[in-house]
Amino acid sequence: MTLLTFRFAPSPNGELHLGHAYSALLNQQMAAQAGGRLLLRIEDIDITRCTPRFEAGIFRDLEWLGLRWEEPVRRQSEHFAEYRAVLDRLIAEELVYPAFMSRGEIRAFIAETGGRDWPRDPDGVPLYPPLDKALPAGERKRRIAENMPFAWRLDVEAAMARVTAGLSWTEFNDETMSATRAIEAQPQAWGDVIIARRDIPTSYHLAVVVDDALQGVSHVVRGQDLYAATGVQRLLQELLGLSPPRYFHHRLIPGPDGRKLSKSFKDTGLAALRDAGMSPQDVRRLLGSELAPTR
C-alpha cells in the first residue's frame, strides 16, 4: 500500500515567519492524521536570492518547531538537468516559445494598445502581449543566437487545445480531509506564463509539478495565495501526463496591519520570536486551535 505523501517546500530567500510555521505544522498534522509521510523540499531555483545562510535557518527553525521529515531533502538547484529535459519536451511539442519583450517594452505596448482595459492575471499583472508568439522560427533563432534576453513562455492557447476533457482539481474543504469538491482550473486567466528562463531551465510552476510527481506527493497543502496558480500547474500536469495530487489551500496568517506576511517586508521571523523567549507551544497557540501538539 502506497503511503499518502505530504510536503513542505520553502524557499531559502529569507527567514521563515509565522505563515510558514502554520503551513509546516499543518502539513505535519494532516500527514499524521492520514497515517502518511512528510517531505521537506528546498525550492531554491532562484540562485541569486537563495543562500546557504537562509537554508540553514530553515532547518533550525523547523527543528525548533518540532517538525520531522523524511530524508533525503530534495534541493531543486541540484536537479536542473531534470527540468531541462522536461522543458526540451515542451519546446519540441511547440507548447512554449521564446519571449523577448522587456518590462519597459511590455508597458509601452500596453499603453499604446490597451491601456487600462488590458487584461490582467489574478495577481493584477498585465498579460503578456502576443507579439513574440507570432515571430517566425528564423527570427526566433536569430535573436537567440545573438544572445538577446528571453524567457520561455507557455502558449496557453496551444496547450489548452491539447486538453481533451475539462480541467479541474480536487480540493479538500478543510484540514480534516473529510470532504472534497472539484474546482475548475482556469489557466487562461494567467496568460502565457513564464515556464523557464534562458539561464535557469525552469520556473516555480514547472519545477513544482515535476518534483511533486517524482516524489510521489499525493497531498499538496499550501496557502490560499497559491489557489489560482493551481490552474497553471494542472495544465502542465495534463500536458506531461502526470497524476495530479489533491490540494488544500489553507488560510493565510496576517500581520499586525492585516496584510499577508512576507519575507520581503521582513515580518517578524521565527528566529526573532525564539530569541524573544517564545516557545514552540506559544507559536501553536498564536496560530490557532486547530494546530494540536503532535504526540
Side-chain angles (χ1 to χ4, degrees), residues 1 12 20 81 95 120 122 158 178 189 206 253 258 260:
M1 179 179 177
H20 298 111
L95 292 171
R120 295 175 177 268
S178 58
L206 186 61
I253 304 299
K260 188 188 88 168

Side-chain angles (χ1 to χ4, degrees), residues 3-293:
L3 282 177
L4 300 182
T5 301
F6 296 68
R7 49 76 164 174
F8 177 61
S11 295
N13 56 9
E15 295 183 354
L16 297 188
H17 52 59
L18 284 172
H20 298 111
Y22 180 77
S23 192
L25 291 169
L26 188 60
N27 266 280
Q28 177 168 262
Q29 179 166 296
M30 292 175 67
Q33 289 173 347
R37 54 202 286 257
L38 177 64
L39 307 179
L40 175 63
R41 179 194 304 156
I42 301 297
E43 298 196 338
D44 59 347
I45 60 173
D46 187 345
I47 55 178
T48 59
R49 296 176 60 208
C50 296
T51 69
R53 179 174 71 86
F54 286 136
E55 181 177 320
I58 287 174
F59 285 99
R60 188 164 54 247
D61 290 343
L62 294 180
E63 289 170 354
W64 173 70
L65 283 174
L67 207 71
R68 299 292 180 265
W69 57 85
E70 289 192 10
E71 298 286 352
V73 172
R74 182 178 176 91
R75 291 176 180 80
Q76 290 181 333
S77 61
E78 298 172 352
H79 298 276
F80 281 169
E82 295 171 30
Y83 307 137
R84 179 74 223 190
V86 177
L87 173 63
D88 287 343
R89 174 180 166 183
L90 294 174
I91 294 172
E93 295 183 9
E94 298 184 345
L95 292 171
V96 299
Y97 62 91
F100 301 94
M101 295 180 74
S102 67
R103 291 180 180 178
E105 290 170 335
I106 295 172
R107 287 194 296 268
F109 179 86
I110 291 174
E112 292 175 3
T113 57
R116 295 182 178 179
D117 295 329
W118 191 265
R120 295 175 177 268
D121 68 23
D123 286 340
V125 178
L127 300 191
Y128 192 76
L131 298 182
D132 289 331
K133 189 158 49 177
L135 283 176
E139 177 61 15
R140 291 178 179 177
K141 292 180 180 178
R142 182 190 69 80
R143 295 187 183 190
I144 292 175
E146 293 179 357
N147 288 322
M148 290 185 64
F150 73 92
W152 291 104
R153 286 184 177 266
L154 180 68
D155 187 336
V156 175
E157 183 180 0
M160 288 299 294
R162 302 283 183 93
V163 178
T164 57
L167 196 62
S168 64
W169 77 84
T170 300
E171 179 83 13
F172 287 104
N173 290 339
D174 55 39
E175 63 273 3
T176 67
M177 297 182 288
S178 58
T180 63
R181 64 189 188 278
I183 305 296
E184 180 185 358
Q186 298 180 328
Q188 307 95 318
W190 295 93
D192 292 349
V193 296
I194 291 176
I195 291 301
R197 305 283 182 178
R198 180 178 62 173
D199 53 343
I200 299 177
T202 189
S203 65
Y204 166 71
H205 290 302
L206 186 61
V208 76
V209 299
V210 170
D211 288 349
D212 284 344
L214 286 175
Q215 294 188 287
V217 172
S218 60
H219 291 62
V220 171
V221 177
R222 60 190 183 186
Q224 187 70 26
D225 52 331
L226 290 170
Y227 181 88
T230 309
V232 175
Q233 292 159 27
R234 276 295 296 118
L235 177 56
L236 287 172
Q237 289 161 350
E238 200 74 11
L239 296 174
L240 298 171
L242 305 177
S243 297
R246 293 185 170 192
Y247 293 87
F248 176 55
H249 293 88
H250 59 69
R251 65 182 177 93
L252 299 178
I253 304 299
D257 58 359
R259 63 176 172 79
K260 188 188 88 168
L261 293 173
S262 170
K263 294 174 182 174
S264 61
F265 286 100
K266 301 187 184 302
D267 292 292
T268 301
L270 296 181
L273 296 176
R274 183 171 62 249
D275 292 343
M278 185 173 286
S279 70
Q281 292 72 27
D282 293 331
V283 170
R284 290 175 183 272
R285 284 192 289 269
L286 190 61
L287 292 173
S289 58
E290 68 266 35
L291 293 176

